Amino acid sequence: MTSRNPRLLLGAVALAALVSAGCGDSTGSSSDTADSTTTTSTPVTTTSQATTTTTPETTTTKKTITTLDRLLEAGYVFSDDYVVETVFTDIDSGTGGLAIDADGNFYQADFGYPGHVGNSVYLISPDGSAETFVQSDDMESLTMTAFGADGELYQTSYGSNKVFRITGGEAVLVAEDISGPTGIVALEDGTLYVQGYNSGKIHRIDPDGTNTVWADDPEFSGPNGLIIGPDGTFYSVNHKDGGLFAIDMDGSVTLLHDFPWPTSHVAYLDGALYVTSRGAFIVYRYDLETGDVEIIAGNAEPGDQDGRGIESSFGRPNAITVGPDGALYTNHGDGESNSFVSIRRITYQP
């Protein structure tokens, strides 16, 4: 893998030293183990009339191989140029979509969690006050929340196989019969592009309601995040594995990168894609011009630590979007869970 400017990055050697000093040899849900053999100092003694033989006893121990180890082995590098800060915590919601309007208001979609139905989008003001923005029994397990080019807020409902436009505090049905809708892009003319998580297809919904399959690729595996770049290219990420794809307007698909753990959502900012990884508890930056990849936030273990680069930690990061201030914002649950959402800001501070 081609490294980015070494001035901006912690290389594997420096990072290994930092990990040894700060992270230790901790384990997590995405860690595994490998066998290593050691010899103990405790002998086993056998005695006979003629001789005494001492045989060393061998034992097999487990060496922990963490997600961080595997990322380093794969050649990924960690940038020290981004700072993570907590904005809101303890939102009673599952980690669904996240959108921000021009006034800095946050719209947090509720995916739900055991014993709690996800059928609401919450409005969180910059001062932290929260209220229910829209609630509907027709919505269930809300996934991506996004403003369209037409200025309207759109909401996919994974649990009901429907897509809604939020107008005047009401959820208005605009598309249905999409198997597990997740990512959504709304163009200015009213055309929608919607991922079907369960079908592995991306649908085009014309303004007259006509629903056609627009992109269908065998490598789509739980497509979950969808955005459009300034040149009209779409970008899609897989939730079940680490696939990142570019899709032309005609629906042709190109694999850009294959991340080693499941991803969630994707955002575009200044010539790069920012991808959350639920499987690795980190956020990637993919440079569209060079194809270089770096990890900008998270230490590959669940947590809620603010800080620069690898000093920070997340629960399983899910939605990611760009705010009016030009910063990135992502949401996640507590530890490895999907619930009690925190919203974190990621800013470029070299």
Side-chain angles (χ1 to χ4, degrees):
M1 175 176 296
T2 304
S3 297
R4 291 176 58 80
N5 186 335
R7 183 183 67 81
L8 302 180
L9 305 172
L10 291 175
V13 174
L15 181 57
L18 177 58
V19 172
S20 175
C23 297
D25 207 18
S26 60
T27 61
S29 64
S30 50
S31 303
D32 51 29
T33 57
D35 291 339
S36 60
T37 303
T38 60
T39 302
T40 69
S41 60
T42 304
V44 176
T45 304
T46 303
T47 305
S48 66
Q49 289 182 341
T51 60
T52 300
T53 302
T54 302
T55 304
E57 179 183 2
T58 60
T59 61
T60 300
T61 60
K62 298 288 186 180
K63 177 185 175 181
T64 301
I65 300 176
T66 66
T67 301
L68 185 58
D69 293 330
R70 292 206 178 279
L71 288 166
L72 292 173
E73 289 171 3
Y76 287 97
V77 289
F78 286 70
S79 171
D80 198 35
D81 287 345
Y82 294 81
V83 175
V84 178
E85 302 168 282
T86 299
V87 181
F88 305 115
T89 61
D90 298 323
I91 303 167
D92 190 7
S93 171
T95 50
L98 179 66
I100 310 173
D101 66 20
D103 295 323
N105 297 300
F106 292 75
Y107 299 82
Q108 165 64 43
D110 190 353
F111 188 79
Y113 55 85
H116 176 94
V117 177
N119 64 0
S120 302
V121 177
Y122 303 110
L123 170 61
I124 307 168
S125 301
D127 64 5
S129 58
E131 61 182 278
T132 300
F133 179 65
V134 63
Q135 184 178 63
S136 173
D137 291 339
D138 291 332
M139 301 194 301
E140 181 182 351
S141 298
L142 304 186
T143 43
M144 190 169 179
T145 308
F147 283 99
D150 57 2
E152 297 277 13
L153 187 66
Y154 290 85
Q155 178 64 60
T156 51
S157 174
Y158 176 88
S160 66
N161 299 324
K162 297 176 180 178
V163 180
F164 298 88
R165 182 178 62 250
I166 311 302
T167 301
E170 299 292 331
V172 178
L173 179 68
V174 294
E176 56 186 336
D177 298 325
I178 297 174
S179 186
T182 47
I184 184 171
V185 168
L187 302 187
E188 193 167 0
D189 67 359
T191 303
L192 305 180
Y193 293 84
V194 183
Q195 293 167 316
Y197 180 95
N198 297 326
S199 66
K201 303 180 190 324
I202 301 177
H203 297 253
R204 172 181 167 136
I205 314 298
D206 292 328
D208 64 2
T210 302
N211 181 343
T212 57
V213 173
W214 171 67
D216 183 6
D217 191 277
E219 293 193 80
F220 287 164
S221 181
N224 192 60
L226 184 69
I227 59 164
I228 187 170
D231 65 351
T233 302
F234 290 77
Y235 300 97
S236 173
V237 290
N238 284 344
H239 184 264
K240 292 183 180 180
D241 60 30
L244 170 65
F245 305 89
I247 310 169
D248 292 337
M249 188 60 76
D250 63 3
S252 59
V253 179
T254 301
L255 176 65
L256 296 179
H257 192 78
D258 198 3
F259 296 106
W261 276 278
T263 53
S264 292
H265 288 251
V266 57
Y268 172 90
L269 178 63
D270 294 337
L273 302 176
Y274 294 84
V275 179
T276 53
S277 175
R278 288 182 61 83
F281 304 97
I282 56 177
V283 179
Y284 298 100
R285 180 186 185 273
Y286 176 90
D287 190 302
L288 283 167
E289 181 178 356
T290 66
D292 291 345
V293 180
E294 60 187 351
I295 298 168
I296 65 165
N299 63 8
E301 294 287 347
D304 57 5
Q305 182 67 38
D306 288 345
R308 182 178 290 274
I310 197 174
E311 297 172 353
S312 63
S313 59
F314 302 95
R316 295 194 182 277
N318 189 54
I320 187 166
T321 190
V322 179
D325 57 354
L328 295 159
Y329 291 84
T330 185
N331 62 9
H332 63 86
D334 184 14
E336 297 188 35
S337 74
N338 182 51
S339 58
F340 293 97
V341 169
S342 294
I343 297 175
R344 315 285 291 284
R345 177 172 51 239
I346 305 172
T347 53
Y348 178 66
Q349 300 182 33

